[in-house]
């Protein structure tokens, strides 16, 4: 099969979350509008969810990896990975077990791997139950080896790990937490960014500095523009891409004069300080 398939369970809860993201945060909404705000996307959401189920076939990508989005908790997104050739199945950031078990049972699938981007409970809460039920191996950052429940395989920056023949590159992306990693499936052109890069946003700085987050984001956006971005929260209708985020995400446009003017940031401020100010502005909404 020569495509990556994204399937999203037809739950209308995504729409309010998208609305909240855009309409509840006037400053960033304003910035977004300024920077080519994709309002059409919001109209599209209603239509798609009217149809009940969303299916998007990405063409031009040579891969047998299927990626299914599974909404969890209030606004978390786990992803089930399915290698069609071997039947191998993994899940990224299962915050709870039940929605994952439901999805696997519907397709009569087993679970081999659990990948965690970081240690927070809303990304690892389902680890132990899933591990006990399926015997799945838990993969995470070496830095989080004492904080990720059930961890079996520890990885670090520059490591390559194989998921059923798919090369997975590990990017250490501290900022949200000190041990945060992103998983880049190069052959499928997909990256799982957890709570580092969101569509049009970035994660809160709980354990890292603005400089660390800035460096982490720059590392991610150095990937090819067409790379699809699968994030842990604040998901939009379809996976965003690195190219789109570079155009629209204020946290990746820290040298943009319009953003600096809007937030009254002096011209001489470094990009990490600009990021810090945008982050603080968003935190205060
Ligand atoms: Zn987190």
């Amino acid at each position: 099969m020569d495509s990556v398939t994204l399937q999203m369970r037809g739950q209308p809860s995504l729409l309010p979350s998208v609305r909240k993201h855009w309409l509840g945060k006037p400053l960033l909404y304003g910035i977004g509008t300024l920077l080519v705000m994709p309002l059409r996307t919001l109209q599209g959401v209603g239509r798609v969810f009217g149809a009940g189920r969303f299916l998007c076939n990405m063409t031009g990508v040579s891969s047998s990896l299927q990626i299914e989005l599974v909404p969890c908790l209030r606004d978390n997104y786990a992803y089930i990975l399915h290698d069609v050739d071997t039947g191998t199945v993994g899940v990224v950031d299962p915050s709870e077990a039940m929605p994952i078990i439901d999805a696997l049972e519907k397709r009569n699938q087993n679970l081999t791997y659990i990948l965690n981007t970081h240690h927070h409970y809303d990304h690892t809460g389902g680890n132990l139950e899933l591990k006990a039920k399926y015997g799945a191996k838990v993969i995470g950052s070496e830095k989080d080896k004492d904080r990720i429940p059930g961890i079996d395989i520890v990885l670090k920056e520059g490591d390559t790990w194989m998921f059923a023949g798919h090369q997975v590159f590990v990017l250490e992306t501290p900022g949200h937490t000190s041990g945060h990693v992103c998983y880049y499936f190069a052959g499928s052109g997909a990256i799982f960014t957890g709570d580092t890069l969101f569509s049009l946003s970035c994660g809160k700085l709980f354990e890292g500095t603005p400089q660390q987050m800035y460096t982490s984001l720059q590392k991610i956006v150095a990937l090819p523009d067409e790379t699809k971005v699968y994030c842990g929260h604040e998901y939009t209708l379809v996976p965003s891409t690195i190219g789109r985020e570079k155009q629209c995400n204020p946290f990746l446009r820290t040298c943009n004069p319009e953003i600096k003017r809007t937030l009254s940031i002096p011209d001489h401020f470094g990009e990490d300080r600009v990021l810090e100010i945008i982050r603080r502005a968003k935190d205060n909404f």
Side-chain angles (χ1 to χ4, degrees), residues 76 117-123 176-177 180 194-196 198 203-204 206 233:
N76 277 77
T117 58
H118 63 296
H119 71 92
H120 282 159
Y121 182 78
D122 64 335
H123 293 253
H176 176 69
T177 64
H180 197 294
D195 286 357
T196 297
F198 296 138
K204 288 186 178 181
F206 288 122
H233 303 266

Side-chain angles (χ1 to χ4, degrees), residues 84-110:
V84 178
D85 296 337
T86 62
T88 308
V89 175
V91 63
V92 179
D93 285 349
S95 50
E96 52 181 343
M98 271 324 291
I100 309 303
I101 293 170
D102 284 348
L104 294 174
E105 284 184 351
K106 277 194 186 106
R107 300 200 310 211
N108 200 23
Q109 288 176 337
N110 213 326

